[in-house]
Amino acid sequence: MDRVIEKKKWSVKRILPIAGGLGILGLIAASYYGTTGKAKLNVEQDKIIISEVSKGKFQDVTPINGVILPIQTIYLDALEGGRVEELLVEDGSVVQKGQPIIKLSNTDLELDLSNRETSVFQLITQMQYTRNLARENTIRQEANLADIDNALAEAKRVYDLNTRLYKEKVISEQDYRSSLNLYNYQVRRKN
């Protein structure tokens, strides 16, 4: 059996486009109403100051947060580092070329300096010791040379004397040859 199905007047397919169109018309009306007329500002009542209007300088102060950068920045490097003993110039002061800014103390540098001074003193002492040894050696060599000269002169005197005595047959050939050998030995020693 077939039955007749009645059509509904207000279906979902009909209601949605009508509701969308009405929503768009409502937005247009609200934006038009919001842009016409006077602007409003809500301010708390205790922040309102009422005073008499007068002529004068207008000063408008606007607090702004920001970073201040110098026009020119110069970085200083110390030749040697260390601990700051004394500040000689305050921050932001103008300084001249060559003017001391801070006084540093560097215990490592001071220790190194004292070690170097000690090694210099040791080197000087060693040089003086070596110079003294050289002087003593020179004096010893000169004394030896003087002894050799003296021994050579004595051997020559004895040899000359024995030569005359040997020619006159006063001394033996053994004494003569002994004085000759001694004289030759002293000559070789001198050379």
Side-chain angles (χ1 to χ4, degrees):
M1 272 210 251
D2 289 333
R3 277 187 315 176
V4 177
I5 300 175
E6 291 184 24
K7 277 189 168 184
K8 295 181 181 178
K9 286 186 178 183
W10 297 103
S11 69
V12 174
K13 287 183 179 180
R14 256 188 175 176
I15 293 175
L16 284 178
I18 293 172
L22 287 174
I24 291 174
L25 284 177
L27 283 174
I28 293 172
S31 68
Y32 177 74
Y33 177 73
T35 58
T36 60
K38 294 182 180 179
K40 294 180 183 178
L41 176 65
N42 293 329
V43 179
E44 295 177 19
Q45 195 171 18
D46 60 333
K47 291 188 178 179
I48 296 175
I49 299 173
I50 299 174
S51 62
E52 186 178 322
V53 176
S54 60
K55 264 190 171 182
K57 266 187 173 179
F58 177 73
Q59 292 182 348
D60 187 19
V61 178
T62 307
I64 297 174
N65 292 333
V67 178
I68 298 173
L69 297 174
I71 294 172
Q72 182 180 17
T73 302
I74 299 172
Y75 294 100
L76 301 176
D77 289 335
L79 296 176
E80 294 291 335
R83 187 170 49 99
V84 176
E85 288 289 322
E86 182 181 358
L87 258 166
L88 303 174
V89 177
E90 295 297 322
D91 278 345
S93 299
V94 177
V95 295
Q96 303 299 322
K97 182 178 180 180
Q99 178 182 355
I101 298 173
I102 57 175
K103 182 179 178 185
L104 296 175
S105 69
N106 187 340
T107 53
D108 292 337
L109 185 63
E110 290 172 2
L111 181 63
D112 184 47
L113 181 63
S114 66
N115 287 341
R116 288 179 190 228
E117 285 177 351
T118 304
S119 66
V120 166
F121 289 137
Q122 288 175 349
L123 185 63
I124 289 171
T125 305
Q126 184 66 31
M127 286 175 57
Q128 289 173 345
Y129 178 73
T130 305
R131 189 178 305 128
N132 288 342
L133 284 179
R135 282 184 193 152
E136 287 176 9
N137 190 28
T138 302
I139 291 169
R140 195 176 316 113
Q141 293 297 333
E142 288 175 353
N144 285 342
L145 186 60
D147 287 345
I148 290 171
D149 286 341
N150 186 34
L152 178 62
E154 182 62 24
K156 181 167 177 28
R157 184 189 69 77
V158 170
Y159 170 69
D160 290 341
L161 180 64
N162 284 347
T163 302
R164 276 186 290 146
L165 291 176
Y166 179 69
K167 286 179 184 176
E168 295 175 4
K169 305 276 188 203
V170 175
I171 61 169
S172 68
E173 184 178 350
Q174 178 65 28
D175 289 339
Y176 169 72
R177 292 224 179 251
S178 175
S179 64
L180 176 64
N181 288 340
L182 184 60
Y183 174 70
N184 288 335
Y185 167 72
Q186 294 299 340
V187 168
R188 281 195 312 273
R189 191 171 165 209
K190 167 77 174 176
N191 292 337

